[in-house]
Amino acid sequence: MDRAAVLNAFSPAQEMYDPERFAGRSLQIRELTDALRIEGSVPVIYGDRGLGKSSTAVQLQLIAMGRTELLSHIDLVHLALPEDQTYLTFYVTCTEDVQTLQDLQRLILHKLEAVDIIESEHGSDEVLIDRASRRKLSFKFFETETTKRYAKRSNRLRHEELTPSERLEREIALLVNVFKTPLLIIVDELDRARGLGGLSTYLKAVSSDLVKFVLVGIGQTLSDLLVDHTSLARLMYPVRIPQMTAGELADVVDKAMNQVAANGIDLSFSSAARSRIVRVAGGFPWFVHAIGQEALVSALDRGQSEVTEDDIIRASRNLTNNRFAQQFSDSYQLAVRDSYAREVVLRTFAAWPRPDIPTADVYRVCKRLGVTNPAVYRGHLTRPEYGEPLVTPRLQNRGLVRFRNEMFKHYIELSGSLFQGAADKVEEATNNW
């Protein structure tokens, strides 16, 4: 029981539905809740990986359905939607298989058609749910006769000879007309989709007071996410999810420890350990979860009543073996492979303290470290066979690069090197940065 409580206290999975974790996101929640009321707007949730974009989108979905738990927790309950303005909500997640606008339309159509009707606790009323997840699509209740008419008409309208766009248009119209309620369609991980030509035209044509789309994806700037859809500019309602402040990260630790204490476990963080984990997290709550969980379990296994700063240091250094960080470890191995020089170049780029990294400054340090032609290795790191950790920012000059994933950049800074001495030499050469 103790071990389960400790593991769950720092579990990233709990963040998605826990209003406690959104105390520092009241501005973003306010903006998104207001966007639900703006006719024809397309809210866009963007930011680096690991900052809670999907969690925020899930909370927006619940707010759109009429749930008020989060709004009450952050003193914004006055922004709750009236019952007659709540939405039927659908949540779709893109994959690499989404290569065209028609692929995205098919994905959305499948979600809209995958609907079951279940009896509510009111007996004679019924509610829509997603057949696959069994998640409610609305907290409104509908009369039995209405839902029967919906089922009958929906079967009649699903004609295979129609294009995906036509079928989706009819399915949307059906849901709106039968249930007399607007639709909210959240499209997550939009950055994974490629070749969505025509998306902006489609969204402008479909978005109205009855149909609203929300786009979610990874991008340090809005242009990173929507570079091919600039004509959406007049409709977009951008909401950036920033890196967490030190205070917000400390709150994550404190709330986790309150949960541990509530389970009757005598275990706490020392002041130095709390400060250290906030510092090494670099603004990413994911690192607080991964490092905090390992440090807490380690202290529990040794029978300690307090997590020390040394526990945090060991857990940070052990990230390469952390099961949650396996994807980062694999990416690092793919990028470095069998090259000391490429590891030096990768780590020197990661040491730059800001997202936009000037290649000239990095090259100077690399040459001092014995890499005679760092531009060659930089070229490797922008190619698919090395995982493409580096990218050239859109709308920027050619002398700058960025990490495709800022969390991976931070992981490199925390983790040890494959070639002995590479990490120490780069740290010494870049400590004035």
Side-chain angles (χ1 to χ4, degrees):
M1 175 62 185
D2 285 359
R3 192 175 186 84
V6 166
L7 288 169
N8 285 322
F10 275 105
S11 170
Q14 292 199 16
E15 180 176 317
M16 187 164 286
Y17 297 100
D18 183 3
E20 288 278 344
R21 309 294 173 100
F22 287 84
R25 294 285 185 257
S26 59
L27 174 61
Q28 288 76 28
I29 297 299
R30 177 191 292 272
E31 291 175 335
L32 289 168
T33 305
D34 284 343
L36 293 176
R37 293 178 163 88
I38 301 176
E39 181 179 335
S41 69
V42 179
V44 181
I45 303 172
Y46 72 100
D48 287 324
R49 188 183 300 275
L51 295 177
K53 297 180 299 301
S54 296
S55 302
T56 302
V58 167
Q59 290 294 333
L60 178 64
Q61 180 185 23
L62 294 174
I63 290 170
M65 294 166 69
R67 295 283 290 268
T68 61
E69 291 90 337
L70 174 60
L71 295 177
S72 297
H73 182 74
I74 58 178
D75 297 325
L76 294 177
V77 71
H78 60 283
L79 298 181
L81 296 178
E83 185 177 350
D84 61 350
Q85 294 180 20
T86 57
Y87 289 79
L88 281 178
T89 68
F90 296 85
Y91 198 110
V92 302
T93 302
C94 292
T95 67
E96 284 79 4
D97 293 332
V98 178
Q99 297 293 318
T100 66
L101 177 59
Q102 283 201 338
D103 290 338
L104 179 59
Q105 290 170 334
R106 290 190 190 95
L107 182 67
I108 296 171
L109 179 64
H110 178 73
K111 181 65 71 169
L112 267 59
E113 290 180 340
V115 166
D116 271 343
I117 303 171
I118 62 171
E119 186 174 306
S120 77
E121 61 268 25
H122 297 281
S124 61
D125 296 333
E126 295 175 337
V127 63
L128 289 181
I129 66 164
D130 185 303
R131 184 183 301 132
S133 68
R134 311 306 291 176
R135 184 185 299 175
K136 289 183 181 180
L137 303 174
S138 175
F139 286 91
K140 290 182 177 180
F141 299 110
F142 306 100
E143 294 180 357
T144 302
E145 189 59 34
T146 300
T147 54
K148 285 180 179 178
R149 187 165 68 250
Y150 158 71
K152 181 178 179 181
R153 290 183 62 191
S154 65
N155 287 331
R156 192 173 70 236
L157 286 173
R158 291 171 188 170
H159 299 301
E160 292 301 325
E161 64 269 18
L162 298 177
T163 67
S165 179
E166 291 169 335
R167 291 176 62 196
L168 180 56
E169 182 180 350
R170 290 195 175 197
E171 192 70 26
I172 288 174
L174 175 68
L175 287 165
V176 170
N177 290 334
V178 169
F179 296 109
K180 308 301 181 186
T181 191
L183 265 62
L184 180 71
I185 301 171
I186 300 173
V187 182
D188 198 0
E189 301 199 30
L190 186 70
D191 53 286
R192 298 178 66 182
R194 295 290 183 268
L196 294 182
L199 175 63
S200 58
T201 302
Y202 175 73
L203 292 182
K204 283 194 288 186
V206 176
S207 298
S208 68
D209 59 329
L210 295 176
V211 182
K212 183 177 291 294
F213 285 82
V214 176
L215 307 180
V216 187
I218 298 167
Q220 294 170 356
T221 67
L222 197 58
S223 62
D224 290 337
L225 182 61
L226 297 172
V227 67
D228 297 323
H229 311 291
T230 53
S231 58
L232 269 174
R234 286 176 296 176
L235 299 179
M236 285 189 304
Y237 195 102
V239 176
R240 181 175 180 270
I241 305 300
Q243 293 183 8
M244 281 191 172
T245 66
E248 289 168 347
L249 292 170
D251 284 343
V252 173
V253 177
D254 294 342
K255 288 166 185 171
M257 297 318 299
N258 288 340
Q259 184 175 333
V260 170
N263 281 278
I265 303 169
D266 182 21
L267 195 56
S268 62
F269 269 65
S270 71
S271 177
R274 181 174 177 271
S275 298
R276 168 74 69 164
I277 195 172
V278 167
R279 189 162 64 252
V280 302
F284 293 97
W286 183 90
F287 286 103
V288 173
H289 291 301
I291 294 171
Q293 187 183 80
E294 178 160 337
L296 206 60
V297 169
S298 176
L300 182 70
D301 288 344
R302 295 198 307 272
Q304 295 177 199
S305 61
E306 185 178 71
V307 175
T308 67
E309 186 173 14
D310 285 342
D311 290 324
I312 302 300
I313 293 172
R314 282 191 294 269
S316 301
R317 290 175 178 170
N318 199 38
L319 268 177
T320 52
N321 298 321
N322 190 299
R323 62 190 179 282
F324 294 130
Q326 188 60 50
Q327 58 175 324
F328 293 143
S329 178
D330 293 344
S331 296
Y332 192 83
Q333 293 271 357
L334 179 62
V336 172
R337 294 192 182 180
D338 58 352
S339 172
Y340 170 81
R342 193 160 47 245
E343 181 166 34
V344 167
V345 172
L346 178 65
R347 296 192 75 90
T348 307
F349 272 109
W352 189 259
R354 288 175 292 281
D356 289 328
I357 309 167
T359 55
D361 292 78
V362 171
Y363 291 165
R364 279 194 292 270
V365 171
C366 291
K367 288 176 181 178
R368 290 203 305 269
L369 292 172
V371 181
T372 56
N373 197 348
V376 171
Y377 298 100
R378 179 261 191 187
H380 292 172
L381 296 170
T382 61
R383 284 158 42 182
E385 56 264 43
Y386 296 94
E388 297 180 279
L390 298 181
V391 295
T392 301
R394 297 183 177 105
L395 310 179
Q396 293 282 5
N397 63 57
R398 295 179 62 185
L400 295 175
V401 298
R402 286 181 186 159
F403 274 81
R404 184 180 299 277
N405 182 347
E406 279 289 302
M407 278 186 69
F408 181 50
K409 177 178 185 286
H410 192 61
Y411 167 85
I412 294 169
E413 295 180 81
L414 293 178
S415 62
S417 54
L418 296 180
F419 289 88
Q420 187 173 2
D424 293 336
K425 290 177 181 177
V426 170
E427 182 179 2
E428 183 179 354
T430 59
N431 58 15
N432 63 326
W433 284 358

